[in-house]
Amino acid sequence: MAELLEVKGEIRFKIQAYQKAARAVAEHPRPLTGIHEEGGLSALMEISGIGEGLGKKIGELITTGRCAAYEKLKAELPPGIPELLEVPNLGPRTALSLAKNLGIKGVTDLEKAIKTGAIRGLPRMGVKLEEKLLRGIALWRQGRERMPLGLALPRAQEMVAALLSLPGTKRAEYAGSLRRMCETVGDLDFLVSPKSAGDAPGILKAFVSLPGIAEIVAHGDTKASVRFKDGFEADLRVVDDDAYGAALHYFTGSKTHNILIRELGVRKGLKISEYGIFRRGKRVGGRKEEEVFRAVGLPFIPPELREGAGEIEAAAGNSLPRLVTEDSLKGDLHVHSSYSDGTAGLEELARAAKKMGYEYLAVSDHGRSLKIARGLSVTELRKKNREIDRVNRLLSGFRLLKAAEVDILEDGSLDYPDDVLAGLDVVIVSVHTRFNLDSAAQTRRITKALAHRHAMILGHPTGRLFGQREPCAVDLDAVIRAARDHGKALELNGQPDRLDLSSGPLRRARELGVPVTINSDAHTLEQLAGYRRFGVGTARRGWLEPRDVLNTLPLGQLLKRLHR
DNA sequence: GCCGTTTTCGGCCCGACTGTTTTCAGTCG
């Protein structure tokens, strides 16, 4: 609606109010349907940016699936505008002009009009703009996929190394959604400060000359933007070292967070931008990122929390969570060995985990029904457990735990008999089949499994795989409440393809006192070490503290908690 | 349209790059 209001020529501040509300909805840790169910309009209006007008419209959308004001607005404008607005480089002014002057009703029309030279006659439209629009149409056709964190992070680290190796570079790092450890990122953002002002052009030049670039989208004095042949997009910003901290804050975002911080600044008579912190035109800070927060009277807010989803209020009330760190994990409760579909043997897994500083490792191979992953029969499981005993006698100050990732069958029962489950240290229960049940059936299935006396942890609760499989239809809130009622834990699966649960449900679990385990679900030795940071990063986005995470407990307490 | 240790009215974050201009509009972040 904000975009359509912009086309219509509404006043800027009304448009901004809609945009702000849209971001507040998108970034809210819980789906608004649940909030509306519990507290109605007044609960919606408690969300900052949503007032009476927009609250009613959202409520209407939730209860009826429609919004009369939106439909009215759409009817007032030429048809095809919403589609045109999806095209990169094509905004509200151009869309309206194309629709009004040439009767263009969509992307196909637009392409024809460009080819026949029809748009060249319009004001402020020339050859360059034609080219720009054609590039936008090509991108629109491709569809823009976000990159999973697991691919983006190593790529960004390589690029930071390349930027740091330039002779004129003083400081360089990646920022943006990647620094906030978002589970997928739209592009890669880099920040560099030059050793001296004269070094900036060379740094930008080097950036747009990196190998594998398909297109230089922009290349100015302080900023450049490129697209690589493999689809990655990257932005570089070069600022004076004096402004590096302010720029890092700005470039890390999120946009909502930045706006909130800048508004706080305005109230204190400050202007905050990527160039620093200013009072009456005079610079009062910006070299270090901490200075931005200090200027508005807040403690440092970790990047993973900067979503404009309550972190500013928490910081102001001195109630920011003390987030879990990689160091605080004392073990991993979900890895696979060569007994099922993993590649590493038990002893090498144990030694690798011990080397990481872990006290324990649960080797949770698949249960017998999951044939595709070479799930273990009861006999094989017993044999594996005897080898675990043998390995444990070899190592001191470390313990392999007997575990299984047991399938939740379609009726909600588990894949091993109770007497087998009773002999295990850790029982993870997971869905691996029939992801397509309807929400009621899937929710029944999972909550029944959580009620099982031997179940301890629900593995990868939604089953999603980025780019491959949507989360299964399930009432997550009901699952989280079931975990609370039965005293069970939820897994945060740290495989970068999964990152399941994500930050919203994690916050909800924390709110309801449901413990989480951060697991790698590693199938190789490399994954055991490599996936920890993805799991911890996502946990931090979910506001989790060490006390919310079971595998920060020492072994004795962990087992006591799992078996209570 | 939203919001309030400046305010229930009068404000609303801040800036870069491109293209078509000769002072700025449009798009994007």
Side-chain angles (χ1 to χ4, degrees):
Chain A
M1 287 186 79
E3 292 190 325
L4 295 183
L5 289 170
E6 207 171 349
V7 175
K8 200 182 153 192
E10 268 290 355
I11 58 158
R12 193 157 40 102
F13 301 111
K14 186 168 171 177
I15 296 162
Q16 281 172 5
Y18 275 77
Q19 289 170 338
K20 183 177 181 180
R23 285 192 302 267
V25 172
E27 278 148 25
H28 197 84
R30 276 183 73 192
L32 263 52
T33 44
I35 293 168
H36 184 255
E37 233 165 75
E38 286 165 22
L41 176 61
S42 58
L44 292 178
M45 284 175 65
E46 274 171 33
I47 299 168
S48 175
I50 297 178
E52 196 181 346
L54 285 169
K56 281 183 177 162
K57 291 184 179 79
I58 293 167
E60 183 193 349
L61 201 51
I62 288 171
T63 47
T64 70
R66 304 171 48 142
C67 174
Y70 170 63
E71 282 160 24
K72 179 163 174 284
L73 184 57
K74 227 166 51 168
E76 285 173 26
L77 296 168
I81 293 271
E83 183 175 298
L84 290 177
L85 289 175
E86 290 171 10
V87 177
N89 307 326
L90 200 168
R93 309 310 306 166
T94 313
L96 185 64
S97 167
L98 291 170
K100 245 177 39 183
N101 293 312
L102 301 174
I104 288 173
K105 291 194 189 60
V107 174
T108 322
D109 283 359
L110 172 59
E111 206 169 21
K112 266 188 236 157
I114 294 170
K115 286 190 176 138
T116 59
I119 75 163
R120 218 171 294 181
L122 266 40
R124 305 189 69 91
M125 296 204 200
V127 186
K128 291 280 195 179
L129 195 71
E130 287 178 350
E131 291 169 9
K132 206 168 169 177
L133 289 177
L134 285 175
R135 284 200 301 275
I137 291 171
L139 285 175
W140 179 80
R141 290 238 160 83
Q142 271 176 23
R144 286 215 265 184
E145 292 224 349
R146 292 174 65 85
M147 298 169 268
L149 177 63
L151 286 179
L153 192 64
R155 181 67 171 265
Q157 286 171 323
E158 278 171 30
M159 289 181 68
V160 167
L163 291 167
L164 281 170
S165 74
L166 298 173
T169 297
K170 179 159 178 153
R171 287 194 269 180
E173 62 201 288
Y174 62 80
S177 51
L178 191 58
R179 184 160 177 251
R180 304 200 309 278
M181 292 293 276
C182 291
E183 53 206 24
T184 63
V185 302
D187 62 7
L188 306 175
D189 297 311
F190 299 95
L191 177 67
V192 171
S193 67
K195 283 181 183 150
S196 70
D199 290 323
I203 292 166
L204 284 157
K205 189 108 193 300
F207 178 73
V208 301
S209 313
L210 286 170
I213 287 178
E215 185 195 344
I216 298 170
V217 179
H219 181 185
D221 295 335
T222 66
K223 181 183 156 168
S225 186
V226 297
R227 194 170 51 252
F228 290 91
K229 286 174 193 152
D230 57 7
F232 275 85
E233 292 181 41
D235 292 337
L236 172 68
R237 197 67 188 266
V238 180
V239 298
D240 286 349
D241 203 59
D242 281 345
Y244 188 87
L248 183 60
H249 178 263
Y250 151 75
F251 219 24
T252 297
S254 68
K255 181 172 179 138
T256 309
H257 169 90
N258 286 353
I259 290 173
L260 292 170
I261 291 286
R262 288 172 177 194
E263 280 171 354
L264 278 182
V266 169
R267 265 182 258 162
K268 290 180 185 295
L270 300 168
K271 185 180 72 154
I272 299 171
S273 77
E274 59 266 47
Y275 293 113
I277 306 155
F278 302 89
R279 187 184 296 282
R280 288 186 291 274
K282 202 171 148 251
R283 164 191 295 274
V284 295
R287 172 172 285 272
K288 295 172 68 180
E289 195 178 36
E290 287 81 356
E291 294 168 4
V292 175
F293 295 105
R294 205 179 308 143
V296 295
L298 296 178
F300 182 82
I301 299 176
E304 296 92 335
L305 298 183
R306 299 183 199 166
E307 297 294 343
E311 75 280 7
I312 308 244
E313 294 84 343
N318 229 343
S319 59
L320 281 174
R322 292 198 325 280
L323 296 178
V324 63
T325 60
E326 289 192 56
D327 290 344
S328 53
L329 295 192
K330 297 209 162 50
D332 192 330
L333 299 181
H334 186 171
V335 306
H336 295 267
S337 75
S338 52
Y339 273 88
S340 68
D341 59 347
T343 62
L346 296 181
E347 187 175 338
E348 47 181 350
L349 276 169
R351 292 192 186 280
K354 191 176 177 200
K355 204 171 152 200
M356 287 170 69
Y358 283 166
E359 289 179 23
Y360 49 84
L361 182 72
V363 189
S364 52
D365 284 302
H366 290 287
R368 59 185 173 182
S369 77
L370 202 63
K371 307 280 186 222
I372 193 170
R374 304 209 310 271
L376 274 58
S377 68
V378 171
T379 313
E380 290 168 319
L381 180 62
R382 294 217 167 97
K383 177 168 173 248
K384 177 185 145 191
N385 287 343
R386 285 194 296 276
E387 193 189 339
I388 287 179
D389 287 333
R390 181 187 69 79
V391 173
N392 279 337
R393 284 193 293 272
L394 293 174
L395 298 169
S396 63
F398 180 84
R399 188 155 140 207
L400 278 186
L401 298 175
K402 293 169 188 160
E405 184 183 14
V406 184
D407 260 37
I408 302 174
L409 305 178
E410 188 174 348
D411 65 356
S413 62
L414 302 183
D415 182 26
Y416 282 133
D418 283 11
D419 64 315
V420 172
L421 296 175
L424 295 173
D425 297 314
V426 179
V427 176
I428 302 172
V429 298
S430 305
V431 167
H432 288 113
T433 53
R434 298 303 310 270
F435 291 100
N436 59 347
L437 295 181
D438 67 47
S439 175
Q442 196 71 274
T443 306
R444 251 195 329 270
R445 174 191 190 184
I446 293 174
T447 53
K448 180 179 168 194
L450 278 173
H452 193 290
R453 56 195 284 255
H454 291 304
M456 298 173 190
I457 301 165
L458 175 63
H460 45 70
T462 77
R464 73 165 173 193
L465 287 170
F466 291 122
Q468 289 177 62
R469 187 167 66 214
E470 290 296 307
C472 69
V474 63
D475 181 347
L476 256 190
D477 213 65
V479 168
I480 297 170
R481 289 195 307 270
R484 176 196 58 191
D485 295 345
H486 299 299
K488 305 297 165 71
L490 298 174
E491 174 179 78
L492 160 49
N493 189 299
Q495 262 195 57
D497 284 352
R498 293 185 181 270
L499 296 179
D500 185 9
L501 295 170
S502 58
S503 60
L506 288 173
R507 281 183 75 174
R508 180 68 173 154
R510 175 172 188 253
E511 196 180 296
L512 296 184
V514 174
V516 170
T517 67
I518 303 175
N519 299 333
S520 68
D521 198 356
H523 287 65
T524 68
L525 289 178
E526 292 71 27
Q527 292 173 358
L528 175 65
Y531 289 175
R532 176 167 61 175
R533 64 183 312 183
F534 299 120
V536 170
T538 304
R540 291 166 65 87
R541 289 180 56 74
W543 293 49
L544 298 189
E545 305 191 26
R547 64 173 175 195
D548 304 314
V549 178
L550 285 189
N551 49 325
T552 61
L553 292 172
L555 179 62
Q557 287 181 40
L558 172 83
L559 290 176
K560 213 165 135 192
R561 174 62 186 79
L562 287 176
H563 290 264
R564 81 173 178 198

